[in-house]
Amino acid sequence: MNSGNIYVIAAPSGAGKTTLVLALLAAEPQVQLSISYTSRAPREGEVDGRDYHFVSRETFEAMIARGEFLESAEVYGNYYGTSQVWINEALAAGKDILLEIDTQGAAQVRRLFPQAISTFILPPSAEILEQRLRNRGKDSEDAIERRLKAAREEIAHVEEFDHIIVNEHIDEAVRDIIAIVRAGRLTLNRQVARHSELISKLKGA
Ligand code: 5GP
């Protein structure tokens, strides 16, 4: 069976992950982004079914109890999870799928799918990280400190990932993430499955 790859992308907030993911999806339309479920309220401009499937805490907990998540985690007091059914269908259809999840979720996915290809996005410096977190609206010093702490806790897991991209120049970072996705499709297993006929003909078999 020609099944697709699972690409996991994690990053602290302030690393520029969303911009990178959007550019990747535009360049590689075969990659399907998994839309997570969350119990957090939609932010301004977010659309249900596009950014997340927004559900209540009760619905989310019932979904956990029914085993409907491939992975789930509580981040800043809200639940987030990846749909098991959606992933199974996408993989069976041979699609490459992209999971934009936190490091707890990434660890769960790695246990279930050791072949998943994971990438961590880093900001180019501690100063820039802090600056980006500060620029996100008029938050109190407390809120900014909390975000910085959360970012540091995510970054503590960087060594668990297969790839690291330092997002200093966005164009270069976009090329890097595209390179990771494309290289993942050129591995022996994928290529032998895709080109078995060509390979046996070329071998003269
Ligand atoms: P935000 O609320 O800012 O959209 O996301 C907060 C954090 O939750 C981010 O680190 C994001 O990657 C993570 N996240 C989003 N969806 C999922 C998911 O389905 N599973 C897990 N484990 N984390 C998620």
Side-chain angles (χ1 to χ4, degrees):
M1 190 185 63
N2 191 4
S3 95
N5 289 331
I6 300 181
Y7 297 97
V8 173
I9 299 188
S13 66
K17 178 178 63 170
T18 310
T19 314
L20 263 184
V21 166
L22 289 177
L24 170 64
L25 295 173
E28 298 288 329
Q30 312 90 305
V31 176
Q32 308 269 306
L33 177 67
S34 160
I35 310 296
S36 297
Y37 284 77
T38 184
S39 67
R40 85 151 160 75
R43 295 194 188 114
E44 207 178 310
E46 284 184 331
V47 176
D48 186 38
R50 184 194 69 186
D51 298 291
Y52 283 103
H53 299 290
F54 294 99
V55 296
S56 66
R57 276 188 86 82
E58 296 68 42
T59 302
F60 200 103
E61 282 167 0
M63 291 176 77
I64 295 179
R66 289 196 298 266
E68 292 181 20
F69 292 116
L70 174 77
E71 62 75 33
S72 66
E74 198 162 352
V75 185
Y76 317 129
N78 296 306
Y79 288 124
Y80 294 86
T82 303
S83 161
Q84 175 92 58
V85 174
W86 187 88
I87 299 289
N88 289 349
E89 283 174 5
L91 285 180
K95 302 251 167 64
D96 284 329
I97 60 185
L98 181 62
L99 306 181
E100 212 189 316
I101 58 181
D102 82 326
T103 56
Q104 305 171 68
Q108 294 175 55
V109 170
R110 227 175 260 124
R111 276 196 291 277
L112 292 167
F113 298 99
Q115 74 280 20
I117 299 164
S118 63
T119 302
F120 197 87
I121 316 293
L122 286 174
S125 71
E127 291 72 27
I128 290 176
L129 176 68
E130 184 164 345
Q131 211 176 47
R132 287 185 186 159
L133 292 180
R134 278 184 188 284
N135 290 344
R136 295 207 160 176
K138 318 165 208 66
D139 292 316
S140 64
E141 195 56 32
D142 250 23
I144 291 164
E145 279 306 318
R146 269 204 307 279
R147 268 199 222 139
L148 266 173
K149 184 164 170 278
R152 291 189 192 112
E153 281 167 10
E154 282 292 279
I155 294 168
H157 294 274
V158 64
E159 277 104 352
E160 297 164 15
F161 287 73
D162 300 314
H163 302 278
I164 297 175
I165 294 177
V166 178
N167 188 8
E168 181 161 19
H169 302 292
I170 183 69
D171 292 353
E172 200 180 331
V174 168
R175 282 200 296 276
D176 288 344
I177 191 73
I178 292 171
I180 289 168
V181 166
R182 296 187 67 92
R185 294 201 191 111
L186 302 174
T187 56
L188 182 66
N189 284 347
R190 293 270 316 247
Q191 290 293 65
V192 165
R194 193 179 306 135
H195 299 295
S196 57
E197 211 173 310
L198 169 70
I199 291 170
S200 39
K201 276 205 184 120
L202 290 171
K203 280 179 173 168

